[in-house]
Amino acid sequence: MTLYFTVNTVIEFFCLLIACLCLYKDRDPIWRLCILYLLFTCATEVSAIHIRKVLNQSNLPLYNVFLLIECGFISTFFYYLYKRYVNKTKWLMVWLSVFTLLFFGELMNNHFLSFTFKTASVLSLVFVLASLYFYYLILKDEKFERLYNYAPFWWVNGTLIFYFGSTSTNIFFDYLIQDKISNFAHSIRYIIFNILNVLLYCCWSYAFLCKYLQRKSSSSLA
Amino acid sequence: MQISSKEVFFLISLITIIFLIAPLFMIAYVSLYNRRKKKHNEETESLKKAFENELLRSQMEVQEQTLKTVASDLHDNIGQLLGLTIITLSSININDPAKAKEKIAAAEDLAKRSVKELRALSRLLDGEELISRGLIGAIAFELDWLEKSQLFKIRYHSSVKTLPAKAGKETIIFRLFQETLHNIIRHAKALEIIINLEFINDLLILSIADDGIGFNFTEIKKLHKGMGLQNIQKRVAMIGGTVSFDTAPGTGTKTTITIPY
């Protein structure tokens, strides 16, 4: 049982718990969708450990499937965040089409055997740009928001840190997937992703908390 | 040259740290800029409030000035007319029908004039109504009253037929005009007042000149006596305009107010 308790799973379950508590009654469907996405994330993580450690098989195909969910959810979330400032439906459609082409292209090229890391790298780059564009919209907007408790800002902060921070590991993916550093029990990629996951889910948990407080304060005002 | 695992570990760690620091700086920058935006918004809000306060003060002063005009008109004009009506009526001798008829007609004429004056006065009473005529109309109306007093010779020239309606600005400009006029009446000992109104390249230029005693502008400012002048300067600045006082002892005063409109 302890097999399934890793830094990643613990922080993911923690974030899922916060999401359930804070977003269960949220008015925005996209924020409620976070619960479902986190549920998928936790299920993927636990299944990946099971496949790797118990069944002794490669879990990369599972992460390939999860990449589709990840792209779909994060892209849609960004689209909804932009919606307050601009409408970018065309951008979303174009991006999702490009991603699908890239993903299946790479998958076929790899004969469905390895992780689509090139598509994942493009995905990271696009999400970094999407986060920066969100900052640009905040800066351009004439309306002032208290950023320290502005949920979308913290959600984007977590996303930017995670995808920007994972750039180097994505670049060296081929090498790192083989590498084992003697001083550590896990590969460096795993350690980096542990740190990034902690940062990502802490930011997201804080964003969910902000959203909860915002809902509470607006309902008490009404 | 072969790169060892430790070197790769170091390299990747370094790149990751750099790639983690970069977004942190980005977040810090956005937060800082946002705080400045907040400060800017607060400043804009306080300027807006100051403008609204000044507008309210101007409106009150226009009303106050109007009431003063009404009071003096009631006393000097309508009061006299009604007094004369009473005297005429009380001097009627019923036994002399021809003379009585003549006197009644005269009393009727006086009463009619009083009513006419009262109607004009009631229109003036509403300060807002005055401004609702538009700035040009309000200035002309104010000058009519001044001319009626026969204390000054008024020369008014305006090359502007109509102006786009800007309620707040119009009230403040009208109050500036009233204030300048009031200064002339109180201090200038002038015989003639020349008013010029022009509208060139989105600039409204209002000049009010008199042939009075004039004053030493620098000295008055140094002695902090010219509170009225400072008030005019402050109000003009608030609506983004400029004001100049062309004056010297014995040469009269020309006040030119230029406002982007």
Side-chain angles (χ1 to χ4, degrees):
Chain A
M1 190 66 188
T2 49
L3 192 73
Y4 299 102
F5 286 98
T6 64
V7 176
N8 276 350
T9 51
V10 168
I11 192 73
E12 279 163 4
F13 274 107
F14 170 76
C15 192
L16 175 66
L17 183 73
I18 300 280
C20 288
L21 293 172
C22 298
L23 304 174
Y24 177 60
K25 285 182 181 172
D26 203 89
R27 275 170 299 182
D28 295 336
I30 193 69
W31 282 93
R32 285 204 306 274
L33 201 68
C34 283
I35 301 172
L36 201 66
Y37 173 70
L38 284 166
L39 202 66
F40 268 120
T41 312
C42 292
T44 308
E45 203 64 49
V46 172
S47 310
I49 293 169
H50 183 78
I51 293 169
R52 181 87 187 263
K53 300 275 171 73
V54 180
L55 305 176
N56 282 320
Q57 282 177 6
S58 168
N59 56 16
L60 292 176
L62 184 69
Y63 281 116
N64 275 340
V65 176
F66 182 70
L67 198 69
L68 278 173
I69 299 167
E70 186 182 346
C71 174
F73 171 73
I74 308 258
S75 306
T76 317
F77 203 95
F78 267 117
Y79 167 72
Y80 274 94
L81 289 186
Y82 293 164
K83 232 180 164 182
R84 187 186 153 175
Y85 308 95
V86 282
N87 197 350
K88 297 285 179 197
T89 317
K90 270 185 194 167
W91 282 25
L92 179 72
M93 292 303 153
V94 170
W95 156 240
L96 288 180
S97 312
V98 170
F99 173 80
T100 314
L101 280 175
L102 275 174
F103 180 77
F104 286 105
E106 195 181 351
L107 213 59
M108 279 190 275
N109 202 34
N110 295 340
H111 306 289
F112 299 90
L113 291 172
S114 65
F115 183 61
T116 53
F117 75 92
K118 279 179 191 157
T119 311
S121 300
V122 174
L123 184 92
S124 297
L125 179 75
V126 169
F127 289 159
V128 166
L129 291 176
S131 306
L132 296 180
Y133 183 65
F134 180 75
Y135 290 155
Y136 169 73
L137 290 176
I138 287 186
L139 296 181
K140 216 178 76 171
D141 189 28
E142 279 185 14
K143 214 179 138 202
F144 165 75
E145 288 285 354
R146 283 174 204 282
L147 292 182
Y148 67 89
N149 58 5
Y150 185 45
F153 178 67
W154 284 99
W155 189 91
V156 173
N157 286 349
T159 311
L160 177 70
I161 290 169
F162 180 81
Y163 287 105
F164 207 56
S166 63
T167 309
S168 64
T169 43
N170 283 335
I171 294 166
F172 293 101
F173 179 83
D174 262 350
Y175 184 87
L176 291 171
I177 206 74
Q178 328 263 327
D179 184 49
K180 286 271 181 187
I181 310 289
S182 54
N183 293 345
F184 296 93
H186 305 286
S187 75
I188 183 170
R189 184 178 186 271
Y190 188 76
I191 294 160
I192 289 170
F193 269 91
N194 271 352
I195 297 166
L196 292 176
N197 270 331
V198 170
L199 291 171
L200 170 74
Y201 292 115
C202 282
C203 284
W204 278 19
S205 301
Y206 183 68
F208 300 154
L209 209 66
C210 292
K211 195 81 179 90
Y212 171 76
L213 292 174
Q214 185 201 332
R215 181 167 62 85
K216 278 281 159 196
S217 66
S218 63
S219 63
S220 66
L221 278 173
Chain B
M1 195 178 76
Q2 187 74 33
I3 305 169
S4 72
S5 287
K6 272 190 181 173
E7 280 171 329
V8 172
F9 169 74
F10 178 73
L11 187 71
I12 295 169
S13 304
L14 192 73
I15 296 170
T16 306
I17 289 166
I18 292 167
F19 274 51
L20 274 175
I21 290 171
L24 292 180
F25 269 99
M26 179 62 73
I27 293 162
Y29 170 74
V30 174
S31 304
L32 196 77
Y33 185 91
N34 196 61
R35 226 173 288 161
R36 289 208 177 143
K37 194 160 78 177
K38 182 192 171 193
K39 211 174 155 190
H40 175 76
N41 282 4
E42 281 171 355
E43 276 170 8
T44 314
E45 198 57 40
S46 92
L47 274 175
K48 207 176 139 193
K49 257 193 186 143
F51 178 79
E52 277 166 7
N53 282 342
E54 202 54 46
L55 183 64
L56 201 69
R57 233 176 76 186
S58 297
Q59 281 168 342
M60 282 168 74
E61 283 174 8
V62 165
Q63 276 176 354
E64 204 178 303
Q65 183 67 45
T66 311
L67 282 173
K68 274 183 191 167
T69 312
V70 168
S72 74
D73 202 72
L74 275 172
H75 180 266
D76 302 341
N77 199 2
I78 299 163
Q80 300 289 334
L81 283 170
L82 290 174
L84 215 58
T85 313
I86 293 166
I87 293 166
T88 312
L89 288 171
S90 60
S91 66
I92 292 171
N93 184 1
I94 308 163
N95 299 325
D96 185 356
K99 206 113 196 193
K101 199 179 171 186
E102 201 178 293
K103 280 186 179 175
I104 288 167
E108 191 188 349
D109 185 49
L110 283 168
K112 274 181 184 166
R113 272 172 64 191
S114 303
V115 169
K116 200 178 158 193
E117 291 292 332
L118 270 171
R119 275 190 188 138
L121 208 57
S122 73
R123 279 204 302 274
L124 184 70
L125 250 171
D126 187 356
E128 282 303 303
E129 206 267 342
L130 195 62
I131 304 290
S132 72
R133 293 159 179 263
L135 184 65
I136 297 163
I139 288 174
F141 196 77
E142 186 81 5
L143 289 175
D144 277 350
W145 279 98
L146 192 63
E147 206 164 22
K148 254 171 66 180
S149 71
Q150 294 181 335
L151 289 169
F152 306 95
K153 188 183 169 197
I154 307 285
R155 276 204 284 158
Y156 174 46
H157 174 257
S158 168
S159 60
V160 196
K161 293 278 174 283
T162 49
L163 276 171
K166 285 179 184 171
K169 252 186 186 177
E170 275 180 333
T171 309
I172 292 180
I173 297 168
F174 181 65
R175 181 58 203 148
L176 284 166
F177 168 73
Q178 267 191 337
E179 229 170 327
T180 313
L181 221 54
H182 190 65
N183 281 343
I184 295 172
I185 296 165
R186 275 183 66 193
H187 309 293
K189 293 178 187 164
L191 295 170
E192 189 177 11
I193 303 171
I194 306 159
I195 297 106
N196 226 325
L197 189 68
E198 285 174 300
F199 188 59
I200 308 161
N201 298 331
D202 293 335
L203 281 177
L204 186 75
I205 305 161
L206 173 68
S207 74
I208 305 149
D210 67 70
D211 60 349
I213 54 170
F215 60 95
N216 190 330
F217 182 71
T218 329
E219 205 171 293
I220 292 274
K221 222 178 165 190
K222 214 190 283 174
L223 294 169
H224 299 287
K225 276 184 177 173
M227 287 305 280
L229 299 179
Q230 280 176 26
N231 207 17
I232 290 175
Q233 282 176 321
K234 198 182 99 187
R235 279 190 178 159
V236 170
M238 192 156 272
I239 47 176
T242 53
V243 60
S244 70
F245 301 99
D246 184 11
T247 181
T251 60
T253 306
K254 186 181 181 186
T255 307
T256 310
I257 300 167
T258 311
I259 290 152
Y261 202 86

